[in-house]
Amino acid sequence: MQEIARVAQNTLNVDLAAYSWNAWSDLKVDYANPLEVCVIASEGSNGAGNDLGFVVGPNRSGSNLDNLVKHELKHTYQSRLIGPTGLNDSHTWFAEAVATALSTNETVSDTQLNAFISQVSITPTQVTHDGLQDIVMMRLSDGSTEYGSYNMVLRYLQTQGASIQDFWEVFKVINQIEQSCKVNHQAAAVNGEVVNPVDPQSTSCTGYASTYSSGETMWNGEIISGSMDDPLAPSPEPGKSKFHVAFDYVMGSYGVTYDNIDDETAFRNTVINGM
């Protein structure tokens, strides 16, 4: 526990300086409001980060433990930057790619990327939520290539000019979009249009024009859907997810949109063949 706490505190200090963050204004962390660090036997060699902090299993030591702590702490930052609605608002591949790039920074070859697509039947950028990640873990013959496959997308984005700060900005913009939706929700509640009050932990975004008198929720000229992206079971709700719009808003400065890296043809033309 002492070693984990030491690595976590040192990582936090280094990251605050590296990303030009203020512990309180950016992450809502200070001595009166610390992050929680837990060791749970059932995690084994794994871990998980969320808005409270992170948990790790007891079966790692040395540099392997250090890397796990650094990785999971990145998920804690992500969750805090997004806000109370949490990491489900981000695509799983992107959250894991950022955590990987800023901890172990593992990569894979084009051959391994092709194997990923062949075995899983979707591209790394189509792993949008935990259910699809479960499919990846079941189908991928070499599970150790999963995170490196996600990280190759960030490598591609960097060749187009994107920076680490841009990656963090995507999470911040997701928060901004949600807060915009909540303003619409609150106005509708005050006007008696909706019964349910604003729930900080649930999205107020909706692609359906009939939900609020002001119509569907909009941000930066885009209809914001309250549904997540799922390539295998698309939602009929109009609009784009918060992640999709946030990603396009940030990466559009470099001539990249989510559609440029999404399906197999786009992924091959950019991430695999475009670097």
Side-chain angles (χ1 to χ4, degrees):
M1 281 299 299
Q2 288 178 329
E3 176 66 6
I4 292 169
R6 182 193 67 77
V7 173
Q9 183 64 65
N10 182 66
T11 299
L12 177 62
N13 293 342
V14 169
D15 289 346
L16 290 174
Y19 311 138
S20 300
W21 289 344
N22 175 275
W24 178 250
S25 61
D26 288 297
L27 300 176
K28 296 297 182 285
V29 175
D30 61 16
Y31 286 106
N33 300 276
L35 297 175
E36 296 181 5
V37 180
C38 300
V39 177
I40 300 178
S42 60
E43 287 289 338
S45 298
N46 301 316
N50 58 32
D51 64 313
L52 297 177
F54 65 87
V55 300
V56 294
N59 298 349
R60 291 202 190 198
S61 61
S63 61
N64 285 332
L65 176 60
D66 292 359
N67 289 334
L68 180 63
V69 170
K70 292 174 182 177
H71 181 104
E72 300 307 340
L73 197 52
K74 302 303 184 291
H75 287 316
T76 301
Y77 303 159
Q78 294 165 6
S79 185
R80 295 225 162 188
L81 292 175
I82 288 175
T85 52
L87 268 177
N88 285 338
D89 279 350
S90 171
H91 282 187
T92 297
W93 74 265
F94 187 76
E96 294 297 357
V98 172
T100 299
L102 300 177
S103 56
T104 54
N105 201 24
E106 59 210 71
T107 59
V108 297
S109 65
D110 287 355
T111 298
Q112 290 169 314
L113 283 175
N114 281 312
F116 186 109
I117 296 170
S118 174
Q119 293 169 14
V120 182
S121 298
I122 56 177
T123 66
T125 50
Q126 290 178 316
V127 183
T128 55
H129 58 81
D130 291 347
L132 292 176
Q133 188 177 27
D134 290 341
I135 293 175
V136 172
M137 290 186 288
M138 287 188 294
R139 295 181 179 176
L140 203 58
S141 62
D142 182 0
S144 67
T145 65
E146 180 192 356
Y147 287 4
S149 297
Y150 303 146
N151 189 25
M152 292 306 295
V153 185
L154 299 196
R155 290 292 185 96
Y156 167 74
L157 293 173
Q158 287 175 311
T159 67
Q160 305 307 298
S163 68
I164 291 171
Q165 292 288 20
D166 290 315
F167 301 149
W168 289 122
E169 189 66 18
V170 172
F171 298 104
K172 294 180 182 180
V173 174
I174 291 172
N175 189 330
Q176 293 171 22
I177 295 171
E178 180 60 47
Q179 295 313 308
S180 176
C181 292
K182 281 182 166 34
V183 169
N184 288 7
H185 186 153
Q186 181 60 30
V190 170
N191 292 335
E193 300 166 32
V194 294
V195 175
N196 295 331
V198 171
D199 180 353
Q201 295 183 318
S202 299
T203 187
S204 289
C205 300
T206 175
Y208 295 112
S210 59
T211 304
Y212 308 135
S213 64
S214 56
E216 63 272 36
T217 47
M218 304 278 293
W219 191 87
N220 198 40
E222 295 279 4
I223 297 174
I224 308 300
S225 170
S227 300
M228 66 173 62
D229 295 309
D230 189 328
L232 302 186
S235 168
E237 183 175 352
K240 297 178 180 177
S241 71
K242 286 176 282 186
F243 174 83
H244 191 151
V245 174
F247 183 91
D248 286 358
Y249 178 78
V250 176
M251 299 304 163
S253 300
Y254 309 105
V256 179
T257 67
Y258 182 59
D259 289 340
N260 295 149
I261 60 171
D262 183 20
D263 62 26
E264 183 174 343
T265 299
F267 190 88
R268 291 189 184 282
N269 288 340
T270 54
V271 179
I272 295 181
N273 301 324
M275 285 196 285

